[in-house]
Amino acid sequence: MTNTTLKLVVKLFAIASAFRPDDPRELRENILKSYLRYYLQEKYIQEFISIYYFYIQQQKPREAGYYKDLSLKSVKTLRLLAAINNEMLYGDKMYLLMHLAEFFQGKEEVASQEYDFLQTIARSFTMPEMESHDFFYFLLFGSQQVVRQERLLKVVGDSRKYLNENHQVIERKNFEGLINFLHLPSAHLFIFYYQGEEPLFLNNVKVVPGKSYFFDKGNSLSGYKAGLHNVKLEPVYYNEVAEQFLSGRLPHPVELKIDQLGYHYSGSREGIQPFSFSSRSFFLVGIMGSSGTGKSTLLKLLNGSIRPTKGNVWINGYDLHAYRKSLKNLIGYVPQHDLLFESLSIYENLFYSARLCCGRQKGGQVHQRVADLLHELGLWHIRHRRVGSHQEGNISGGQRKRLNLSLELIREPAVLLVDEPTSGLSSNDSLQVMNLLRKQTLKGRLVIASIHQPASRIFKLFDQLLVLDEGGRTTYAGDPAEALVYFKTLHEHVNAQEKECSVCGNLPAETILEIMEEREVNPDGEQAPQRRMPAKRWYERYKDHLEPRDTGPPEQKLLPPLNKYTPGWGLQWKIFTKRNLLSKIRNKQFLLISLLEAPVLALILAFFTKYTAGTPGDQYAYIFSRNMNLPVYLFMSIIVALFLGLLSSSDDIIGERRIVEREKFLNLSRSGYLLSRLFILAGLSGLQMLIFVLLGNTILEIRGMTLPYFWVLFATAFFANMLGLNLSSGIRSRIAIYVLIPLILIPHILFSGMVIPFDRFHGRLTHGVYPPVVADVMASRWGFEALAVKQFRDNAYERPLFSVHRSESFYAYRVNHYLPRLIEECRVIRQHMKQSDPSRSTGNDMVGLVRNELEDLQKWKPLPTAVEDAVSTRARWTEATLHGIVDYLQSARRSQARKLERVVYRKDSMIREMAQRHDLTERKKNHHNQGLAKLVTRQNQRNKLVIIDQRLVRNFEPVYQKPSHSFGRAPFFAAVKKLGSRWIGTWKFNLAVLWFFVFILYWLLYFDALRKLLDALHLQGDVEA
Amino acid sequence: MTRISLLLILLPLVLLNCRQQENKGKGRSAHPTGSHQASVRQDAATDSSVYHRFPSSREMLNYIRSSDFTYQPGLTNPTGNKGHYHSSFSRTLNLGGYLTDMAYLSHFKQTRKTREYFNTVVELSNDLRIKIPEKQEVVDRASSDLSNIDSLVRIGRDYETKVLDYLKETGQERTLAILMTGSYIEGLYLAVHLVGDYREGDPAVEKIAEQKYALDHLESFVRKHIRGAGDSPALSYLKDLNGIFRKLEISRESTRIRRDSARHMVIEGGDRLVISEKDFVELRNKLDEIRHQMTAKNNKEGYVEED
């Protein structure tokens, strides 16, 4: 409290004094001193006492009646109250009121003006009227005069005397006195006065019978029988009193029981050692311990996200892990790290969280809930502020923490688990957050918070304390103040019984950890590495003396109602999508880069691959058909699609990992979340690829191929999106993901079929005419082939002629390569025969080859009888046989040549017809590309056929080939693929393959396969902050 | 057909002989020494028993050289026109033409042009799926012997021979017929334009008249092997030319033998075709027309390589 405010308060006391000018001065002074001691050290109190008397003297002597009227109505008084009102917390105001009321205590009557004076102040302090009446009657006239008896609680020795009373009763054996409590709901505290002769102590300070005291969090009343120091009275704790008042308001309170709960990490004995503990609604439980003692692990055990290796957690008699799905709805978990979307505002962050928990409520109701909560947390006035990163500092650390809390509070969980709520905060912010948590207990929640080394003011807020030591060993469970006594006693401290400092009221929580972790001292006076008392011993002491003995499942009780407003899958998807979209749009840097990347890359690629062959009239003239770089452009387009897809998705999930884990914890739909991500990524990739195709194709004058290119590039980019999402979901480190990107891209480049033709790979990898299997898992191979084939086959020049070109190619292959080769083989066989070649195996191979081919050939041209017999009976061949075969093959060749001429003639008819309608030269110039034609017909391929398993296999003009494999395998650049008995165009087939890859990757992502694999192989580190 | 191939095989020998003759006198002589060989005429309808050389463009060009004509640029069909030939018919026709152009250029030692036409010939034959044994080796040799015109001549000749062999071997008579047509027309066109203006009694002019005999047999060969309406232009070109040739007068002289200055026996006289100036001009005009149609571009604008 400030100096100015204190002076104003003192002035108020001076005004109060004026009502009873005849009261002993000492009495009033003692009341004022008692008040001031709460705020000042003793040496400063006298100064304010002097100020008090100065104000009294300043008041001019008048008739008593006149003065009383004046003080009530005086504008100055009201102004005084207004000034005080703006400076004091509500609790402090109640404290002031209590002391002011003491001025009027002790007499049988209280004058109406005096009462009105007090009421005026109470009204000014916004104290509810009924409560103020209870308050003043309790203070001035005693508990019997309080109208609302249900607001009272009495601590008595024998509760049977009070069975028919309307107030609460707590019984204490051997207690002969009477403690009267009044509940002040507006201030969340109690006041009491004591009647009796037994010595009673409020936190070690002796209680004066008849005097009123506040009873706040962390307070306890203890004592002993008069004259019998060894007969202690059982202490009365704040939470016990609070529970008496609050539990009645909660129809279904929660009871938590931990029964020999233990956990150890795989491959280790470390974790949480078995312990038992219980707590219930209205309690604020602190889990205290040094770093690495298992606080967070314990919280995760309590929220059900990890399964204990021993023991149980019961909630109202239901095993948490057996009824996990249902009970999880009752539990709120706030991890240490942020769960906020930095691009969204405070309001939006909470709003979307609210929608995900209560989406089925009407929109207006959700807005109202959000508004109410923001008001409660003191965030309403900055609700439109963007959250931003920690570094940006848009909102303070305390505001961040409160917002994180609000994400859980909006769900109204019955049990709230909070991990390190004050870490990284200033002391004020910490207190604010803890007060917020305390308020939640008053609403009936059980709040369990882990905390490292709380300050005294925070420590006092806890109702129960769990202390953990090394190896997850529980060393204490119980009242926080008693914890100090416990540890100090075991440590043989001189002032072991002192809980809080008698001067400042400090409750030093750090003492507990200091005692536990105290080191031995060696003879040199230095601290030795080993502790005075190892953790194991502390744990054993706890087990022997403090651990509850009541084991086994408790009685099952009704659970609090579960949230029935969780939205269905469709609504969840919608909410995820809106949230994610908004988050991306608000991130201007991301948006700009994403939208600019595609056109910039298109410009660069198209510009540098635009080969200008020139014409005699214009050396820089561009002719599409002579742009030999077109295949490079197609290939690089695929790589660009892969690259952009990976970039836009690989950071997606990892940046929200904790949010994803939380939403998983909340049983929100994983598929809904993933599909919303995919929807947005698809939109982004689609836009990028559309821009890329429009720009690139325009520059390179690629006509009539916009949509086919777009679909291929979009499918490729989306495949990369899926791959990136899998990485983002499975790998915990951003750096690892970025390092992996080139490891993904390079094989795609290598096995695309462009950089190295497939037949030039290592012999063990290639099959001969089919791409190697490793290439078949590369999206680049499918995408590039699709583009190349589509461009070649379906351009306006080639499309009407493709079928006849294919026939022409077929016959040309037979006339020019296949049959001449067989004839050549026969010639070589003849040579072998003449030379009686010792390498008979070579000769036999060739015979086998020729025989196999003849068996096929005879299906369309019957073999002469003599030859047929030699072939079918597998008799040894003679010169005559060979001669007959060669004649047959030459005849076959001439026959195929005639067919070739017929096909060519038919082609010429088609060309003539086309020439009637189009300028063919222009058409060819604008649509047919020589560079691409060379690539897909493999013009430079020297070996037009290869021998595989004693068969001649065509390796010639693959684009015109009709493959024989029924499962889609075909030479690279084949224009069709065969599936069963159906022929499917390569463009369609390859697109289907790409989408199939996407489908597979989606399911891998859904089941988080990569993460599970890496975890199983112990290749993952900790989650990246 | 076998006899024709025999003649074709003799062509290189003829040309080789012609090169040896090159150094013997530069003047234009009445008769090309060693080049006039007996020919047997027969009814055009039964060409199977007729021995005639065709295309005789090589022979013609050889004779032109020995007649001391000089190289005229701009006569050949620009290689840039290749891009305008889309059908196999027009490609084949012009392949024949380009083969003749290549021979013409190589005769006059136009190395760069010869190389260019060689490349065009290779590309066209690829487009037509004419497979030459060891084609790549031939092409590689041409690339490596870039400045050696003699090598280029041999390579070009070699290539042409292989093309014709391939067509024969595979029985693609239709293609062969069209190719020969193109080759013949181009050869005659070049000869006519090299001669220039008509000169009565000029041996070069007379030699042109004698091409009628080869034309007769070429026409019957083409008529036999072309397919249908699509190939008819080839026949109509030859018929149009033959229509002019049929109007030529035949001059009959008694044969006589004499020794020339080199003491070789030379046979002179006999029947010979006489071409008047009017006929010559008509023939030239017709050749221009036919040759234009043969090499015509299929587009409204395009580009023509300037020589």
Side-chain angles (χ1 to χ4, degrees):
Chain A
M1 201 185 294
T2 65
N3 203 24
T4 310
T5 308
L6 215 45
K7 284 180 182 168
L8 292 173
V9 167
V10 165
K11 205 169 184 180
L12 199 58
F13 273 99
I15 295 171
S17 302
F19 285 90
R20 293 192 180 183
D22 303 325
D23 270 359
R25 183 178 145 131
E26 199 181 312
L27 177 69
R28 287 177 282 161
E29 198 176 299
N30 284 342
I31 293 170
L32 181 56
K33 277 184 182 174
S34 166
Y35 173 79
L36 288 171
R37 272 194 198 99
Y38 188 74
Y39 296 104
L40 299 171
Q41 290 180 8
E42 200 65 40
K43 60 183 177 182
Y44 299 113
I45 289 176
Q46 195 52 48
E47 181 190 336
F48 282 85
I49 299 294
S50 306
I51 293 170
Y52 165 69
Y53 284 116
F54 170 74
Y55 285 135
I56 288 178
Q57 277 170 10
Q58 267 202 325
Q59 292 162 22
K60 290 180 185 166
R62 294 283 176 98
E63 284 181 21
Y66 173 76
Y67 235 120
K68 288 166 197 174
D69 285 331
L70 210 60
S71 68
L72 281 171
K73 294 165 192 166
S74 159
V75 169
K76 274 191 182 173
T77 308
L78 290 171
R79 209 181 290 159
L80 183 66
L81 284 172
I84 293 172
N85 220 3
N86 291 336
E87 295 293 329
M88 289 174 77
L89 293 174
Y90 190 78
D92 292 330
K93 291 174 191 173
M94 296 301 106
Y95 190 69
L96 171 60
L97 254 182
M98 187 177 76
H99 283 80
L100 282 171
E102 276 189 49
F103 266 47
F104 306 113
Q105 266 181 345
K107 297 257 166 78
E108 280 182 15
E109 274 187 18
V110 173
S112 60
Q113 295 94 331
E114 291 166 350
Y115 192 81
D116 287 345
F117 171 71
L118 290 172
Q119 277 291 346
T120 302
I121 299 173
R123 273 196 296 275
S124 172
F125 287 168
T126 66
M127 190 177 188
E129 193 172 339
M130 289 307 298
E131 194 173 311
S132 66
H133 284 307
D134 292 338
F135 184 60
F136 292 129
Y137 271 80
F138 184 83
L139 288 171
L140 297 172
F141 309 117
S143 62
Q144 304 91 306
Q145 302 303 318
V146 172
V147 175
R148 299 191 297 175
Q149 287 286 301
E150 64 274 15
R151 293 280 175 198
L152 295 173
L153 179 143
K154 293 179 194 282
V155 177
V156 297
D158 185 359
S159 61
R160 287 174 298 180
K161 292 179 197 171
Y162 301 91
L163 282 175
N164 297 324
E165 303 291 332
N166 216 9
H167 51 71
Q168 313 285 345
V169 173
I170 291 177
E171 190 177 272
R172 283 293 183 269
K173 262 192 192 168
N174 303 318
F175 183 56
E176 291 173 6
L178 173 66
I179 309 173
N180 296 280
F181 285 90
L182 174 70
H183 183 212
L184 296 176
S186 65
H188 306 301
L189 47 75
F190 304 89
I191 56 172
F192 75 92
Y193 68 87
Y194 168 56
Q195 292 167 307
E197 288 171 2
E198 287 145 314
L200 196 69
F201 298 88
L202 173 65
N203 302 340
N204 300 327
V205 176
K206 196 164 183 198
V207 172
V208 174
K211 186 174 161 53
S212 300
Y213 296 87
F214 269 17
F215 194 63
D216 203 351
K217 272 258 186 185
N219 292 160
S220 63
L221 286 166
S222 56
Y224 50 87
K225 275 206 76 74
L228 297 166
H229 285 260
N230 57 332
V231 181
K232 289 200 170 137
L233 300 170
E234 189 189 339
V236 177
Y237 295 105
Y238 170 86
N239 49 3
E240 190 181 356
V241 172
E243 196 185 349
Q244 294 294 321
F245 284 102
L246 297 171
S247 61
R249 293 189 300 172
L250 204 62
H252 305 291
V254 160
E255 287 181 15
L256 172 77
K257 183 176 177 184
I258 296 170
D259 188 8
Q260 290 301 301
L261 184 70
Y263 175 79
H264 62 82
Y265 301 105
S266 61
S268 162
R269 282 194 290 181
E270 296 297 309
I272 299 289
Q273 301 305 317
F275 77 104
S276 297
F277 176 73
S278 60
S279 189
R280 51 194 182 276
S281 294
F282 302 106
F283 275 51
L284 177 59
V285 180
I287 303 175
M288 203 170 91
S290 297
S291 303
T293 50
K295 301 189 293 295
S296 299
T297 306
L298 178 54
L299 285 175
K300 284 181 183 168
L301 283 167
L302 294 178
N303 77 10
S305 53
I306 54 177
R307 202 171 264 280
T309 46
K310 197 184 172 190
N312 302 87
V313 177
W314 308 95
I315 296 181
N316 286 19
Y318 295 91
D319 186 305
L320 172 63
H321 292 280
Y323 295 91
R324 197 159 158 262
K325 211 169 173 186
S326 306
L327 292 178
K328 263 185 155 187
N329 281 327
L330 295 178
I331 301 173
Y333 175 65
V334 183
Q336 192 174 352
H337 302 287
D338 263 359
L339 296 175
L340 305 174
F341 286 89
E342 292 175 1
S343 313
L344 301 182
S345 68
I346 288 174
Y347 183 87
E348 285 162 347
N349 265 280
L350 185 55
F351 175 72
Y352 284 110
S353 192
R355 290 272 292 163
L356 285 170
C357 90
C358 326
R360 279 200 272 148
Q361 276 189 318
K362 290 186 184 146
Q365 285 177 298
V366 174
H367 280 292
Q368 193 55 52
R369 277 174 83 143
V370 169
D372 290 344
L373 191 52
L374 287 177
H375 273 113
E376 188 183 331
L377 299 176
L379 296 173
W380 178 253
H381 63 291
I382 53 168
R383 65 191 181 281
H384 293 307
R385 202 179 286 181
R386 198 175 134 264
V387 169
S389 64
H390 281 279
Q391 289 83 357
E392 287 173 67
N394 282 1
I395 59 176
S396 70
Q399 288 165 339
R400 286 187 100 85
K401 276 285 181 208
R402 278 180 275 150
L403 184 55
N404 272 293
L405 269 172
S406 73
L407 301 180
E408 282 302 321
L409 293 177
I410 197 78
R411 293 175 52 238
E412 296 182 353
V415 178
L416 183 63
L417 306 171
V418 191
D419 195 352
E420 303 263 7
T422 59
S423 86
L425 298 184
S426 65
S427 54
N428 270 343
D429 279 340
S430 298
L431 185 62
Q432 217 176 12
V433 168
M434 290 309 298
N435 276 327
L436 189 62
L437 291 177
R438 185 191 147 200
K439 264 191 200 174
Q440 302 309 313
T441 62
L442 295 172
K443 293 182 185 177
R445 292 197 174 94
L446 166 60
V447 178
I448 304 176
S450 69
I451 199 149
H452 179 46
Q453 216 164 354
S456 170
R457 287 186 300 173
I458 292 171
F459 192 63
K460 284 183 186 179
L461 295 175
F462 288 111
D463 298 303
Q464 285 175 302
L465 184 71
L466 263 175
V467 181
L468 296 182
D469 202 356
E470 280 174 14
R473 292 178 176 84
T474 306
T475 58
Y476 178 82
D479 181 78
E482 294 296 333
L484 269 167
V485 173
Y486 173 77
F487 282 98
K488 286 200 290 185
T489 304
L490 287 176
H491 204 245
E492 296 178 327
H493 271 218
V494 168
N495 59 342
Q497 297 304 312
E498 188 181 274
K499 294 173 191 175
E500 62 180 41
C501 173
S502 53
V503 173
C504 61
N506 226 28
L507 204 60
E510 64 274 12
T511 307
I512 296 171
L513 297 181
E514 284 167 7
I515 292 171
M516 267 190 349
E517 295 167 4
E518 192 181 349
R519 306 276 160 200
E520 299 249 359
V521 178
N522 64 24
D524 294 333
E526 290 164 352
Q527 282 195 328
Q530 64 273 18
R531 286 167 38 162
R532 272 189 66 179
M533 190 146 147
K536 196 177 170 192
R537 276 186 60 195
W538 283 112
Y539 174 64
E540 282 163 3
R541 276 205 71 91
Y542 159 78
K543 294 288 270 182
D544 292 337
H545 299 283
L546 295 177
E547 189 176 48
R549 300 293 171 212
D550 172 28
T551 57
E555 185 192 333
Q556 285 186 346
K557 293 180 183 171
L558 276 175
L559 289 166
L562 304 175
N563 177 21
K564 55 184 187 296
Y565 295 117
T566 307
W569 187 93
L571 189 51
Q572 285 186 40
W573 177 85
K574 216 167 137 187
I575 295 166
F576 283 133
T577 304
K578 266 191 186 170
R579 182 185 73 182
N580 295 339
L581 191 61
L582 204 57
S583 183
K584 285 223 183 299
I585 290 171
R586 292 278 176 80
N587 188 341
K588 289 193 170 53
Q589 199 177 36
F590 166 83
L591 203 62
L592 197 64
I593 292 172
S594 299
L595 291 177
L596 282 182
E597 266 174 333
V600 167
L601 285 172
L603 271 169
I604 292 171
L605 204 54
F607 181 76
F608 285 105
T609 55
K610 191 171 185 177
Y611 169 66
T612 49
T615 61
D618 178 4
Q619 67 173 129
Y620 295 117
Y622 173 72
I623 301 170
F624 174 75
S625 68
R626 291 170 70 181
N627 182 4
M628 304 309 275
N629 295 329
L630 185 67
V632 172
Y633 170 77
L634 298 183
F635 164 69
M636 287 305 299
S637 300
I638 296 292
I639 301 303
V640 163
L642 283 172
F643 179 69
L644 290 180
L646 271 173
L647 265 192
S648 59
S649 63
S650 55
D651 201 41
D652 232 31
I653 294 181
I654 196 173
E656 295 178 7
R657 179 182 300 287
R658 290 192 170 80
I659 299 173
V660 171
E661 281 174 8
R662 174 179 176 258
E663 285 168 358
K664 188 175 160 187
F665 169 77
L666 297 175
N667 282 335
L668 292 174
S669 168
R670 181 166 170 78
S671 66
Y673 172 76
L674 291 176
L675 287 172
S676 78
R677 282 246 163 259
L678 290 174
F679 180 76
I680 291 167
L681 283 172
L684 181 62
S685 292
L687 187 61
Q688 287 178 323
M689 291 303 108
L690 186 65
I691 294 172
F692 183 89
V693 168
L694 284 173
L695 203 50
N697 284 20
T698 302
I699 293 172
L700 290 176
E701 299 180 29
I702 299 171
R703 292 168 172 81
M705 289 284 163
T706 303
L707 274 182
Y709 274 39
F710 167 73
W711 286 120
V712 172
L713 293 180
F714 172 60
T716 309
F718 197 58
F719 161 85
N721 287 155
M722 290 302 309
L723 202 53
L725 281 180
N726 269 277
L727 291 179
S728 191
S729 175
I731 294 176
R732 292 199 181 126
S733 159
R734 267 197 179 92
I735 292 175
I737 291 175
Y738 295 143
V739 164
L740 274 175
I741 287 177
L743 285 178
I744 290 168
L745 280 178
I746 286 171
H748 273 90
I749 292 170
L750 210 52
F751 293 106
S752 60
M754 174 66 189
V755 172
I756 306 176
F758 289 131
D759 60 350
R760 288 200 216 146
F761 274 103
H762 191 282
R764 285 190 193 280
L765 283 176
T766 59
H767 182 269
V769 289
Y770 298 141
V773 172
V774 65
D776 283 341
V777 298
M778 298 292 157
S780 57
R781 166 252 188 279
W782 298 100
F784 175 56
E785 187 187 42
L787 282 183
V789 168
K790 187 71 173 173
Q791 175 65 52
F792 176 79
R793 175 189 169 161
D794 287 337
N795 67 72
Y797 179 80
E798 179 71 21
R799 188 171 49 234
L801 299 172
F802 183 80
S803 176
V804 73
H805 278 158
R806 181 159 57 197
S807 301
E808 188 185 354
S809 170
F810 173 75
Y811 289 113
Y813 166 68
R814 285 201 158 177
V815 170
N816 294 336
H817 306 288
Y818 175 68
L819 291 166
R821 178 60 183 267
L822 283 176
I823 294 168
E824 177 62 23
E825 293 289 318
C826 290
R827 188 188 67 77
V828 174
I829 291 169
R830 187 183 283 140
Q831 272 182 341
H832 273 273
M833 283 167 64
K834 281 183 182 165
Q835 290 160 11
S836 304
D837 193 334
S839 58
R840 289 179 67 83
S841 60
T842 312
N844 285 342
D845 287 343
M846 287 185 217
V847 167
L849 172 79
V850 174
R851 193 195 304 276
N852 289 337
E853 296 304 328
L854 286 174
E855 280 172 359
D856 274 350
L857 281 169
Q858 68 180 340
K859 289 172 191 164
W860 60 269
K861 185 175 171 63
L863 290 166
T865 315
V867 173
E868 192 183 357
D869 289 342
V871 167
S872 59
T873 62
R874 300 199 171 244
R876 203 152 158 190
W877 289 358
T878 61
E879 276 260 6
T881 314
L882 276 171
H883 190 76
I885 291 171
V886 168
D887 280 347
Y888 167 80
L889 291 171
Q890 283 172 341
S891 163
R893 192 182 181 206
R894 282 193 291 276
S895 157
Q896 295 287 278
R898 281 194 291 277
K899 287 192 176 169
L900 176 61
E901 278 198 322
R902 279 202 285 274
V903 167
V904 165
Y905 187 79
R906 185 159 50 94
K907 181 180 87 171
D908 281 359
S909 307
M910 294 169 75
I911 288 174
R912 271 193 292 275
E913 200 203 340
M914 279 170 68
Q916 303 289 324
R917 291 180 275 119
H918 307 287
D919 181 336
L920 281 185
T921 303
E922 201 60 27
R923 190 161 257 235
K924 191 174 181 182
K925 198 171 86 173
N926 292 333
H927 294 275
H928 175 88
N929 183 267
Q930 293 170 15
L932 186 62
K934 259 192 183 160
L935 181 71
V936 300
T937 58
R938 304 194 71 196
Q939 236 174 59
N940 298 330
Q941 173 68 13
R942 290 215 177 204
N943 298 328
K944 305 295 186 193
L945 31 70
V946 293
I947 299 175
I948 298 174
D949 298 333
Q950 290 194 321
R951 296 305 302 253
L952 284 178
V953 178
R954 175 175 164 166
N955 194 22
F956 168 72
E957 295 184 347
V959 71
Y960 293 126
Q961 254 186 281
K962 270 194 157 184
S964 54
H965 202 286
S966 300
F967 290 107
R969 289 210 92 194
F972 197 52
F973 296 130
V976 289
K977 307 253 168 52
K978 194 176 180 187
L979 206 59
S981 59
R982 285 193 64 184
W983 294 101
I984 302 172
T986 291
W987 183 82
K988 270 191 201 163
F989 186 91
N990 288 17
L991 259 186
V993 169
L994 286 170
W995 285 108
F996 176 70
F997 286 170
V998 165
F999 179 77
I1000 298 289
L1001 284 172
Y1002 172 75
W1003 287 109
L1004 288 175
L1005 177 65
Y1006 180 79
F1007 292 111
D1008 222 359
L1010 179 61
R1011 184 187 58 78
K1012 287 174 182 164
L1013 175 67
L1014 293 175
D1015 285 345
L1017 297 172
H1018 303 291
L1019 289 174
Q1020 293 264 48
D1022 287 334
V1023 173
E1024 192 174 83
Chain B
M1 187 58 201
T2 309
R3 288 166 192 161
I4 293 169
S5 60
L6 180 65
L7 289 168
L8 290 173
I9 290 164
L10 286 173
L11 270 175
L13 297 172
V14 169
L15 286 168
L16 199 57
N17 187 42
C18 290
R19 282 235 2 127
Q20 287 166 355
Q21 295 297 327
E22 183 191 323
N23 295 325
K24 295 179 184 175
K26 294 279 184 190
R28 292 167 69 174
S29 57
H31 297 284
T33 52
S35 65
H36 183 79
Q37 297 183 21
S39 61
V40 175
R41 284 198 59 204
Q42 194 165 343
D43 188 348
T46 55
D47 67 305
S48 58
S49 57
V50 172
Y51 292 83
H52 267 282
R53 276 187 299 284
F54 73 84
S56 61
S57 56
R58 283 186 178 279
E59 191 188 40
M60 167 60 71
L61 289 171
N62 197 44
Y63 175 73
I64 288 167
R65 201 167 182 186
S66 66
S67 303
D68 206 24
F69 286 122
T70 52
Y71 171 67
Q72 280 189 41
L75 280 184
T76 53
N77 181 18
T79 55
N81 285 350
K82 178 181 88 66
H84 304 308
Y85 308 135
H86 301 283
S87 65
S88 297
F89 175 81
S90 62
R91 283 176 177 172
T92 310
L93 200 62
N94 285 284
L95 174 60
Y98 281 128
L99 281 167
T100 302
D101 287 340
M102 183 174 71
Y104 165 76
L105 290 165
S106 66
H107 269 296
F108 287 104
K109 297 193 178 178
Q110 300 297 311
T111 313
R112 185 182 67 82
K113 280 285 182 185
T114 304
R115 195 166 61 244
E116 181 187 317
Y117 276 71
F118 177 76
N119 289 338
T120 302
V121 157
V122 169
E123 283 167 16
L124 263 178
S125 60
N126 284 341
D127 290 342
L128 291 167
R129 300 186 180 282
I130 293 172
K131 184 181 177 250
I132 308 295
E134 295 148 3
K135 179 192 279 187
Q136 195 55 48
E137 283 77 1
V138 174
V139 171
D140 290 344
R141 269 168 50 213
S143 303
S144 62
D145 291 333
L146 291 177
S147 57
N148 187 335
I149 187 60
D150 292 333
S151 297
L152 273 177
V153 166
R154 275 197 299 279
I155 290 166
R157 204 176 297 153
D158 190 25
Y159 194 87
E160 183 181 352
T161 305
K162 286 181 194 297
V163 167
L164 299 174
D165 282 347
Y166 166 82
L167 293 172
K168 174 196 71 83
E169 199 178 295
T170 55
Q172 295 185 58
E173 279 91 1
R174 169 190 171 263
T175 308
L176 185 62
I178 298 169
L179 189 139
M180 291 289 111
T181 303
S183 186
Y184 178 84
I185 292 170
E186 187 71 6
L188 197 58
Y189 171 84
L190 289 171
V192 158
H193 282 276
L194 280 171
V195 163
D197 295 325
Y198 175 81
R199 288 171 295 283
E200 192 173 352
D202 189 333
V205 174
E206 288 176 3
K207 191 66 183 173
I208 283 170
E210 285 174 13
Q211 294 309 308
K212 182 207 182 307
Y213 301 115
L215 179 57
D216 285 339
H217 299 293
L218 178 60
E219 186 186 335
S220 67
F221 181 72
V222 168
R223 191 193 306 278
K224 185 179 176 185
H225 292 291
I226 59 169
R227 276 192 179 270
D231 296 342
S232 59
L235 188 61
S236 73
Y237 295 155
L238 297 176
K239 278 164 71 177
D240 287 350
L241 288 173
N242 224 357
I244 298 170
F245 275 113
R246 284 203 187 97
K247 291 191 274 186
L248 299 185
E249 287 178 14
I250 297 171
S251 160
R252 295 177 197 281
E253 293 176 8
S254 53
T255 56
R256 53 193 180 276
I257 297 172
R258 66 172 181 87
R259 282 195 190 279
D260 66 8
S261 54
R263 305 298 295 165
H264 290 133
M265 299 296 284
V266 175
I267 302 170
E268 293 178 337
D271 293 348
R272 62 187 179 89
L273 286 167
V274 177
I275 183 167
S276 67
E277 183 177 5
K278 181 172 168 260
D279 293 334
F280 182 81
V281 169
E282 192 183 349
L283 180 66
R284 186 175 62 198
N285 291 342
K286 183 51 74 175
L287 270 168
D288 286 348
E289 183 192 324
I290 288 170
R291 204 268 194 158
H292 175 74
Q293 286 174 9
M294 181 174 118
T295 60
K297 299 187 285 288
N298 191 21
N299 58 333
K300 298 182 186 62
E301 60 169 7
Y303 62 91
V304 176
E305 268 203 13
E306 302 291 336
D307 279 338

